[in-house]
Amino acid sequence: MNKLKKIGALLSSAMLMTALAGCSTEKSDGAGSASSTAAVEQSKQPVKMETIRVWTNSGHTKELVTEMVGEYNSTIGKEKGIKIEYTVQGADYKQAIDLALASGQAPELFYVVGPKVDYVKRGDIIPIEELPRGKEFLGKYDGMLNRVAFTVKGKAYSVPFNITNVKLLYNKDLFKKAGLVDKNGEAKPPNTWTEVREYAKKLTNPQDKVYGIALPLKWGSYFDWELLFPWVSSIGHNSFNTLTGKYEFSSFKPALEWLMSIKEDKSYFPGPEGLDNDPARAQFSEGRVAMKLGASWDVGVLNDQLPATMDWGAADIPVSDPANRYKEFASVSDFISVSKTAKSANLEKVMEVYKWLNSDEFLVKMYEEGKYVPYDNRIIQMAKKLPKAKGWADFGHNEKIYLHHGQPTVKLEGNTHTQVFLKIWMGGVGIEEALADLDARYNAALDAGVKDGTIDKSMFVNENFDFRLK
């Protein structure tokens, strides 16, 4: 039996050698060799390079993104046949992109300014689902796209990229000088709105040209970013209540009363009615204002645009009652959308660029260099270094935030809430009366929009959303 096995093995080996010899003989006629050579030559042929254009208005990231694009083009892009042409437009960005879209010269990818629904109606942008493997890509954002910033009529036109949150900026030097310190002698920011009022009064010294707080009422977004949004932490919902689907300005009566108390104390920088945000930030930077509400974009302002001449910090938003603190407001934004122009380009390559611009790698770099606060804490945890920019660490932690759902754009009759709030400040109308009128007019406009089909209220309502801080 053992002999038979050995003979079988020898025969198998002989047959294998014969087969290999036959293969060798076949190649020697030149046909196989030519085929192999052709395959090698084909593999050496350079991939077809195609340019994918990207436009944004993000001036503060221009240098960094341009550098990253250059690296991409010389590595990944070179391998995949992609050259990204990155352009940052100036102050006339919206006009430039609208003209480019109207003339058929728009880039394949661009940042959308204003409501996306307008661009969708004109067919200027296309859904991510229409890109190769678009649905698969959107899977990583499950549960995060139900916001008007990203989705129109059930289709996604962009994805979350970064957040903008609000803090209380405070001058540590002035706090220490006034004795507003903790047991270690470090500046102690106020925890409540009552304390903000008390601190502002104590810190105001007109003789030294130092004032407790800056109120840039001339800035068109003041009453949103520095009053309504910060006070959500005390009230538990926005002026448009995500839980009920109604405007509820009346809930913000304490916020207006607090603002008027600051006026009563005269503890604000002079001339708030004529004070815009840039001059207010300049006064804070120069050390003449002790406190100011500020957004995460102010980190760049106070480090680069208007470099602070004093030691400053950014504290969590004060509340009315520390025992009933709600989550802090944060606006979630996107970075890029897909233009209708992409349909005439290589959609595979457009999708490659879109994925890269929203990749973890890209987001981590933006955070590490102090350009954006990422929408996801996971990105922060992936970072290998902390941003060096002063104040970034204060804004960078987002454990206490909620992501704003947005609110409907209504066709309002009469004055807007901003105009009414300014009238309250000027003493032209009572707080309770004015807020009740705002509720009535905004909700009437909301109902009219729902009725005529211009507003889909379901996009802004989430009855199960929890504002409570756990």
Side-chain angles (χ1 to χ4, degrees), residues 191-206:
N191 290 318
T192 67
W193 291 110
T194 298
E195 287 182 343
V196 173
R197 179 186 182 183
E198 293 170 354
Y199 280 29
K201 193 172 183 179
K202 186 172 184 178
L203 288 159
T204 297
N205 186 344

PDB file of all heavy atoms in Angstrom, residues 191-206:
ATOM      1  N   ASN A 191     -22.059  82.839  37.725  1.00  0.00           N
ATOM      2  CA  ASN A 191     -22.831  81.627  37.423  1.00  0.00           C
ATOM      3  C   ASN A 191     -24.273  81.935  37.055  1.00  0.00           C
ATOM      4  O   ASN A 191     -24.924  81.124  36.397  1.00  0.00           O
ATOM      5  CB  ASN A 191     -22.819  80.677  38.636  1.00  0.00           C
ATOM      6  CG  ASN A 191     -21.466  80.047  38.869  1.00  0.00           C
ATOM      7  OD1 ASN A 191     -20.795  79.642  37.924  1.00  0.00           O
ATOM      8  ND2 ASN A 191     -21.052  79.974  40.123  1.00  0.00           N
ATOM      9  N   THR A 192     -24.772  83.068  37.514  1.00  0.00           N
ATOM     10  CA  THR A 192     -26.178  83.409  37.270  1.00  0.00           C
ATOM     11  C   THR A 192     -26.279  84.777  36.592  1.00  0.00           C
ATOM     12  O   THR A 192     -25.342  85.589  36.620  1.00  0.00           O
ATOM     13  CB  THR A 192     -26.972  83.451  38.586  1.00  0.00           C
ATOM     14  OG1 THR A 192     -26.504  84.560  39.384  1.00  0.00           O
ATOM     15  CG2 THR A 192     -26.815  82.151  39.359  1.00  0.00           C
ATOM     16  N   TRP A 193     -27.452  85.039  35.994  1.00  0.00           N
ATOM     17  CA  TRP A 193     -27.681  86.330  35.363  1.00  0.00           C
ATOM     18  C   TRP A 193     -27.741  87.439  36.413  1.00  0.00           C
ATOM     19  O   TRP A 193     -27.346  88.584  36.137  1.00  0.00           O
ATOM     20  CB  TRP A 193     -28.970  86.304  34.550  1.00  0.00           C
ATOM     21  CG  TRP A 193     -28.880  85.433  33.334  1.00  0.00           C
ATOM     22  CD1 TRP A 193     -29.501  84.240  33.122  1.00  0.00           C
ATOM     23  CD2 TRP A 193     -28.097  85.690  32.159  1.00  0.00           C
ATOM     24  NE1 TRP A 193     -29.166  83.734  31.894  1.00  0.00           N
ATOM     25  CE2 TRP A 193     -28.304  84.603  31.274  1.00  0.00           C
ATOM     26  CE3 TRP A 193     -27.257  86.725  31.768  1.00  0.00           C
ATOM     27  CZ2 TRP A 193     -27.690  84.520  30.022  1.00  0.00           C
ATOM     28  CZ3 TRP A 193     -26.644  86.652  30.533  1.00  0.00           C
ATOM     29  CH2 TRP A 193     -26.860  85.569  29.672  1.00  0.00           C
ATOM     30  N   THR A 194     -28.196  87.102  37.607  1.00  0.00           N
ATOM     31  CA  THR A 194     -28.190  88.086  38.696  1.00  0.00           C
ATOM     32  C   THR A 194     -26.771  88.497  39.026  1.00  0.00           C
ATOM     33  O   THR A 194     -26.477  89.684  39.239  1.00  0.00           O
ATOM     34  CB  THR A 194     -28.875  87.500  39.950  1.00  0.00           C
ATOM     35  OG1 THR A 194     -30.240  87.202  39.652  1.00  0.00           O
ATOM     36  CG2 THR A 194     -28.825  88.485  41.108  1.00  0.00           C
ATOM     37  N   GLU A 195     -25.866  87.517  39.044  1.00  0.00           N
ATOM     38  CA  GLU A 195     -24.462  87.822  39.300  1.00  0.00           C
ATOM     39  C   GLU A 195     -23.853  88.649  38.164  1.00  0.00           C
ATOM     40  O   GLU A 195     -23.011  89.520  38.410  1.00  0.00           O
ATOM     41  CB  GLU A 195     -23.666  86.533  39.495  1.00  0.00           C
ATOM     42  CG  GLU A 195     -23.926  85.844  40.819  1.00  0.00           C
ATOM     43  CD  GLU A 195     -23.096  84.591  41.008  1.00  0.00           C
ATOM     44  OE1 GLU A 195     -22.562  84.066  40.004  1.00  0.00           O
ATOM     45  OE2 GLU A 195     -22.988  84.121  42.166  1.00  0.00           O
ATOM     46  N   VAL A 196     -24.266  88.376  36.937  1.00  0.00           N
ATOM     47  CA  VAL A 196     -23.768  89.173  35.815  1.00  0.00           C
ATOM     48  C   VAL A 196     -24.121  90.643  36.047  1.00  0.00           C
ATOM     49  O   VAL A 196     -23.279  91.540  35.853  1.00  0.00           O
ATOM     50  CB  VAL A 196     -24.362  88.692  34.476  1.00  0.00           C
ATOM     51  CG1 VAL A 196     -23.965  89.645  33.350  1.00  0.00           C
ATOM     52  CG2 VAL A 196     -23.893  87.285  34.152  1.00  0.00           C
ATOM     53  N   ARG A 197     -25.350  90.887  36.467  1.00  0.00           N
ATOM     54  CA  ARG A 197     -25.777  92.266  36.751  1.00  0.00           C
ATOM     55  C   ARG A 197     -24.941  92.867  37.871  1.00  0.00           C
ATOM     56  O   ARG A 197     -24.451  94.002  37.753  1.00  0.00           O
ATOM     57  CB  ARG A 197     -27.257  92.293  37.123  1.00  0.00           C
ATOM     58  CG  ARG A 197     -27.751  93.699  37.463  1.00  0.00           C
ATOM     59  CD  ARG A 197     -29.187  93.710  37.979  1.00  0.00           C
ATOM     60  NE  ARG A 197     -29.612  95.078  38.250  1.00  0.00           N
ATOM     61  CZ  ARG A 197     -30.798  95.402  38.775  1.00  0.00           C
ATOM     62  NH1 ARG A 197     -31.681  94.444  39.078  1.00  0.00           N
ATOM     63  NH2 ARG A 197     -31.105  96.677  39.001  1.00  0.00           N
ATOM     64  N   GLU A 198     -24.741  92.103  38.953  1.00  0.00           N
ATOM     65  CA  GLU A 198     -23.974  92.589  40.100  1.00  0.00           C
ATOM     66  C   GLU A 198     -22.520  92.865  39.708  1.00  0.00           C
ATOM     67  O   GLU A 198     -21.946  93.891  40.089  1.00  0.00           O
ATOM     68  CB  GLU A 198     -24.039  91.574  41.236  1.00  0.00           C
ATOM     69  CG  GLU A 198     -25.430  91.422  41.835  1.00  0.00           C
ATOM     70  CD  GLU A 198     -25.528  90.245  42.790  1.00  0.00           C
ATOM     71  OE1 GLU A 198     -24.547  89.479  42.892  1.00  0.00           O
ATOM     72  OE2 GLU A 198     -26.576  90.093  43.441  1.00  0.00           O
ATOM     73  N   TYR A 199     -21.943  91.941  38.951  1.00  0.00           N
ATOM     74  CA  TYR A 199     -20.557  92.103  38.504  1.00  0.00           C
ATOM     75  C   TYR A 199     -20.423  93.330  37.608  1.00  0.00           C
ATOM     76  O   TYR A 199     -19.475  94.118  37.742  1.00  0.00           O
ATOM     77  CB  TYR A 199     -20.104  90.870  37.722  1.00  0.00           C
ATOM     78  CG  TYR A 199     -19.694  89.682  38.547  1.00  0.00           C
ATOM     79  CD1 TYR A 199     -20.244  89.434  39.804  1.00  0.00           C
ATOM     80  CD2 TYR A 199     -18.769  88.770  38.061  1.00  0.00           C
ATOM     81  CE1 TYR A 199     -19.877  88.325  40.554  1.00  0.00           C
ATOM     82  CE2 TYR A 199     -18.385  87.655  38.794  1.00  0.00           C
ATOM     83  CZ  TYR A 199     -18.943  87.429  40.039  1.00  0.00           C
ATOM     84  OH  TYR A 199     -18.579  86.339  40.761  1.00  0.00           O
ATOM     85  N   ALA A 200     -21.365  93.483  36.679  1.00  0.00           N
ATOM     86  CA  ALA A 200     -21.295  94.605  35.733  1.00  0.00           C
ATOM     87  C   ALA A 200     -21.339  95.932  36.480  1.00  0.00           C
ATOM     88  O   ALA A 200     -20.604  96.875  36.137  1.00  0.00           O
ATOM     89  CB  ALA A 200     -22.446  94.513  34.739  1.00  0.00           C
ATOM     90  N   LYS A 201     -22.180  95.994  37.486  1.00  0.00           N
ATOM     91  CA  LYS A 201     -22.302  97.223  38.276  1.00  0.00           C
ATOM     92  C   LYS A 201     -21.011  97.507  39.031  1.00  0.00           C
ATOM     93  O   LYS A 201     -20.534  98.648  39.078  1.00  0.00           O
ATOM     94  CB  LYS A 201     -23.473  97.076  39.249  1.00  0.00           C
ATOM     95  CG  LYS A 201     -23.907  98.373  39.903  1.00  0.00           C
ATOM     96  CD  LYS A 201     -25.188  98.157  40.694  1.00  0.00           C
ATOM     97  CE  LYS A 201     -25.679  99.465  41.310  1.00  0.00           C
ATOM     98  NZ  LYS A 201     -26.948  99.273  42.061  1.00  0.00           N
ATOM     99  N   LYS A 202     -20.417  96.455  39.599  1.00  0.00           N
ATOM    100  CA  LYS A 202     -19.191  96.619  40.381  1.00  0.00           C
ATOM    101  C   LYS A 202     -17.999  96.968  39.495  1.00  0.00           C
ATOM    102  O   LYS A 202     -17.099  97.723  39.898  1.00  0.00           O
ATOM    103  CB  LYS A 202     -18.903  95.329  41.154  1.00  0.00           C
ATOM    104  CG  LYS A 202     -17.726  95.437  42.110  1.00  0.00           C
ATOM    105  CD  LYS A 202     -17.611  94.199  42.987  1.00  0.00           C
ATOM    106  CE  LYS A 202     -16.485  94.377  44.005  1.00  0.00           C
ATOM    107  NZ  LYS A 202     -16.375  93.198  44.907  1.00  0.00           N
ATOM    108  N   LEU A 203     -17.974  96.442  38.293  1.00  0.00           N
ATOM    109  CA  LEU A 203     -16.834  96.621  37.400  1.00  0.00           C
ATOM    110  C   LEU A 203     -16.875  97.927  36.617  1.00  0.00           C
ATOM    111  O   LEU A 203     -15.874  98.331  36.024  1.00  0.00           O
ATOM    112  CB  LEU A 203     -16.773  95.447  36.408  1.00  0.00           C
ATOM    113  CG  LEU A 203     -16.340  94.100  37.015  1.00  0.00           C
ATOM    114  CD1 LEU A 203     -16.797  92.950  36.124  1.00  0.00           C
ATOM    115  CD2 LEU A 203     -14.827  94.069  37.199  1.00  0.00           C
ATOM    116  N   THR A 204     -18.020  98.577  36.589  1.00  0.00           N
ATOM    117  CA  THR A 204     -18.155  99.824  35.837  1.00  0.00           C
ATOM    118  C   THR A 204     -17.504 100.988  36.583  1.00  0.00           C
ATOM    119  O   THR A 204     -17.819 101.251  37.746  1.00  0.00           O
ATOM    120  CB  THR A 204     -19.633 100.151  35.572  1.00  0.00           C
ATOM    121  OG1 THR A 204     -20.200  99.120  34.767  1.00  0.00           O
ATOM    122  CG2 THR A 204     -19.790 101.487  34.862  1.00  0.00           C
ATOM    123  N   ASN A 205     -16.577 101.654  35.895  1.00  0.00           N
ATOM    124  CA  ASN A 205     -15.870 102.804  36.461  1.00  0.00           C
ATOM    125  C   ASN A 205     -15.656 103.836  35.345  1.00  0.00           C
ATOM    126  O   ASN A 205     -14.614 103.835  34.677  1.00  0.00           O
ATOM    127  CB  ASN A 205     -14.523 102.367  37.051  1.00  0.00           C
ATOM    128  CG  ASN A 205     -13.821 103.496  37.787  1.00  0.00           C
ATOM    129  OD1 ASN A 205     -14.151 104.667  37.628  1.00  0.00           O
ATOM    130  ND2 ASN A 205     -12.837 103.144  38.603  1.00  0.00           N
ATOM    131  N   PRO A 206     -16.635 104.702  35.130  1.00  0.00           N
ATOM    132  CA  PRO A 206     -16.548 105.672  34.032  1.00  0.00           C
ATOM    133  C   PRO A 206     -15.293 106.544  34.090  1.00  0.00           C
ATOM    134  O   PRO A 206     -14.784 106.969  33.047  1.00  0.00           O
ATOM    135  CB  PRO A 206     -17.815 106.509  34.210  1.00  0.00           C
ATOM    136  CG  PRO A 206     -18.767 105.603  34.931  1.00  0.00           C
ATOM    137  CD  PRO A 206     -17.910 104.807  35.855  1.00  0.00           C
TER     138      PRO A 206
END
